[in-house]
Amino acid sequence: MAYTAHADTFARDSLPPKSQWPDLTFELPELQYPGRLNCAAELLDKMVAGGHGERTVIRTLIDGKAYACTYRQLLDRANRIAGVLTGDMRLKPGNRVLLRAPNNPMMAACWLALMKAGLIAVATMPLLRAKELRQIIDKAEIGAALCDLRLKEEMELAAAGCRSMKQVLYFNDGGAGSLEQRLSAKPAAFANVDTAATDVCLIAFTSGTTGEPKGTVHFHRDVLAMCDCFPRSCLKPAQDDIFCGTPPLAFTFGLGGLLCFPMRFGASTVLMERLTPDTLLETIENFKATICFTAPTYYRQMASLVKNHKLKSLKKCVSAGEALPDATRQLFKEASGIEIIDGIGATEMIHIFISHTPERVRRGATGYAIPGYHARVIDDAGRPCAPGVVGRLAVKGPTGCRYLADARQKDYVICAGEMRGWNLTGDAYTMDADGYFYYQSRTDDMIISAGYNIAGPEVEAALLQHPAVAECGVVGAPDAERGQIVKACVVLKAGYTGNAPMVKELQEFVKKTIALYKYPRSVEFVASLPRTETGKLQRFKLRQSA
Ligand code: 3UK
């Protein structure tokens, strides 16, 4: 049996059988990790030891005033929290700990403390309700929680219904018994648990739309691999960079972009709770942020607000979570001068695997397989599709999908044949002759109308070019004759009216832009579109109302 620092082997024991694991490849020099690895030791202790101690790592606003914390101060705080976790709470390496908070400095310190103590972080989106939390607590057999005081109500409701949940400590509280009070009594030093590179350090639950949530299991090594792939080849940050953005730290897009990436490069991050497109721009301006991470819908809304802000500091923008329509890319570029870096990532893969540098952008494409990863478009028999032919996206690299005790493992990782070990993301893509990948839709979102396959996002991309359209979502609506028809739900910009002539105009506009049969036979005007906390359009909700 391979070395592990875990006394509690629940997570390891709940990994899929080896025969169902993804094939892992470590082809870059940066990815040659030693057998013993603790990701927090690399991201925090080593940065302090390497001379970054007095540099700022986390910035935020507290009561409207700028607050900054150095690498050394963060190390001190994470060490003390680790002392509380292993001391007062008597947690043992391998135990799972629920972590709940909006993006703020204590949330970041708690996450690092969990890593240091060899515990397994299960961070959850702030907006989850008790029922969803209970499923997660039960599935991952979680015994303890660190929770922001403002999320107490739902936390208590959830804990009450779970046998495994034994202790909850609250923070951003300051009161008696709070995490802050306890950590002040702990030493500023902590001996990091000597974890194996392959010890589990986090379980990220997917924001799946149906069925039981899936827990994706990641190792200490995976956290570093995400830092050493996309950032090194596409983002290329420097230590003076100031990161900011919207994705929750509970979402691996945010964990990487707003915590681990900045730390890997000795840079700093602005952690802000609940940002809107407008306050995100304000934050960039106030903190002179240089790198921004957010979802396509934010960039689209920010494009029209950029003129109200001074964004001279901003240099690079990363978009992920859903497809970036070319119309949005162009609007944002006209407004800000910045060529957005698009990237597709997945919770199963931990972070981005197809992306591009700003210089190597290609219109309509997500990018190419980034160094360290391989990507292919395959047909149902697993054979590569010719350039331009729609098929299923398959990827592999240093990270891959391992669901926590879940039969759906077999749906994500191919277990037999030529393509054994490749991950299937569930996306329909095409590839061109130069290896650029073009998103079509989720494979199960493809609209089939009168025998034609139609990708909703392509119709959306066409509609978004019309000056009256603020946002839109396109789905299949049931139809007696055609099986499904293309239905567009459209949010109009201020000053436009959603009436019959507008329906006609949008339909004619799409007919002129893409193949005739793809135009929306039904158009509904709506005030807003249903989205997840991570900015993804909830197509199933649009379909339900169709
Ligand atoms: C879709 C995209 C087109 C795609 C994520 C960056 O989104 C993330 O993880 P999730 O598990 O969802 C994965 C699915 O989302 N998607 C994401 N990015 C793009 N589609 N273009 C894109 N640029 O369907 C994918 O399979 O929520 C993104 C980093 C970490 C992440 N977890």
Side-chain angles (χ1 to χ4, degrees), residues 360-373:
R360 291 182 63 194
V361 62
R362 194 166 281 193
R363 280 183 91 150
T366 312
Y368 42 82
I370 64 173
Y373 285 88

Side-chain angles (χ1 to χ4, degrees), residues 35-112:
R36 303 281 178 94
L37 193 65
N38 182 307
C39 66
E42 301 296 315
L43 296 173
L44 188 49
D45 300 63
K46 282 207 180 156
M47 295 311 284
V48 171
H52 291 271
E54 310 321 314
R55 297 171 48 80
T56 295
V57 58
I58 294 177
R59 303 163 190 272
T60 191
L61 284 184
I62 296 180
D63 299 328
K65 283 209 204 64
Y67 159 92
C69 155
T70 64
Y71 277 84
R72 191 181 305 285
Q73 289 165 332
L74 181 60
L75 177 60
D76 175 294
R77 169 141 300 201
N79 283 347
R80 290 171 189 271
I81 299 172
V84 175
L85 291 164
T86 54
D88 305 30
M89 298 177 85
R90 293 189 304 282
L91 295 170
K92 295 282 173 290
N95 288 165
R96 278 77 54 217
V97 179
L98 191 72
L99 185 54
R100 287 186 56 66
N103 290 0
N104 59 45
M106 267 304 274
M107 163 79 168
C110 287
W111 188 85
L112 290 160

Side-chain angles (χ1 to χ4, degrees), residues 206-207 251-253 319-324 342-348 350-352 366 425 427 429 439 442 536:
T206 57
S207 47
F251 181 30
T252 59
F253 180 39
S319 171
E322 62 177 14
L324 175 70
D342 190 5
I344 177 173
T347 308
E348 285 83 352
I350 200 169
H351 221 276
I352 291 173
T366 312
T425 66
D427 297 295
Y429 259 87
Y439 179 79
R442 294 285 304 166
K536 277 196 216 306

Side-chain angles (χ1 to χ4, degrees), residues 174-456:
S178 70
L179 179 57
E180 278 89 349
Q181 197 201 41
R182 286 166 193 262
L183 69 86
S184 64
K186 291 288 177 260
F190 180 81
N192 294 326
V193 170
D194 190 20
T195 44
T198 52
D199 274 337
V200 175
C201 73
L202 65 91
I203 303 173
F205 279 85
T206 57
S207 47
T209 50
T210 47
E212 206 191 313
K214 290 175 274 198
T216 69
V217 177
H218 296 291
F219 303 155
H220 283 268
R221 183 181 67 198
D222 301 328
V223 170
L224 292 171
M226 81 170 162
C227 299
D228 292 334
C229 286
F230 167 75
R232 286 193 199 283
S233 57
C234 298
L235 186 61
K236 304 183 180 164
Q239 60 173 36
D240 289 330
D241 274 314
I242 300 175
F243 288 62
C244 77
T246 59
L249 295 179
F251 181 30
T252 59
F253 180 39
L255 178 68
L258 298 180
L259 186 64
C260 299
F261 298 174
M263 292 185 73
R264 187 64 163 163
F265 292 86
S268 70
T269 180
V270 184
L271 293 181
M272 297 285 284
E273 305 180 354
R274 286 179 296 274
L275 289 171
T276 63
D278 206 27
T279 57
L280 174 55
L281 286 166
E282 213 173 280
T283 303
I284 295 170
E285 185 173 352
N286 290 342
F287 287 91
K288 301 194 165 54
T290 60
I291 294 178
C292 175
F293 277 74
T294 190
T297 172
Y298 267 66
Y299 287 115
R300 187 160 179 94
Q301 296 172 69
M302 282 157 71
S304 56
L305 301 169
V306 160
K307 55 180 183 298
N308 309 331
H309 297 270
K310 289 198 207 59
L311 298 180
K312 260 192 28 224
S313 63
L314 189 62
K315 291 201 292 271
K316 291 168 192 166
C317 290
V318 179
S319 171
E322 62 177 14
L324 175 70
D326 187 61
T328 299
R329 172 186 287 291
Q330 302 309 336
L331 271 183
F332 190 78
K333 191 172 161 184
E334 280 156 29
S336 69
I338 296 174
E339 188 76 75
I340 295 172
I341 302 171
D342 190 5
I344 177 173
T347 308
E348 285 83 352
M349 301 299 295
I350 200 169
H351 221 276
I352 291 173
F353 43 85
I354 291 175
S355 184
H356 61 89
T357 61
E359 299 74 36
R360 291 182 63 194
V361 62
R362 194 166 281 193
R363 280 183 91 150
T366 312
Y368 42 82
I370 64 173
Y373 285 88
H374 299 271
R376 283 187 194 166
V377 175
I378 60 173
D379 65 16
D380 288 340
R383 288 179 303 246
C385 294
V389 175
V390 179
R392 305 199 287 171
L393 181 66
V395 295
K396 72 173 178 178
T399 60
C401 174
R402 286 171 298 247
Y403 288 130
L404 185 79
D406 205 310
R408 291 168 288 187
Q409 176 73 17
K410 290 213 210 67
D411 303 335
Y412 208 97
V413 176
I414 303 174
C415 0
E418 261 317 79
M419 297 291 289
R420 208 207 78 80
W422 287 68
N423 300 271
L424 288 175
T425 66
D427 297 295
Y429 259 87
T430 63
M431 191 186 83
D432 68 17
D434 301 324
Y436 278 81
F437 289 83
Y438 298 76
Y439 179 79
Q440 308 295 310
S441 78
R442 294 285 304 166
T443 39
D444 45 15
D445 280 346
M446 201 56 94
I447 303 165
I448 303 171
S449 184
Y452 287 109
N453 275 3
I454 301 166

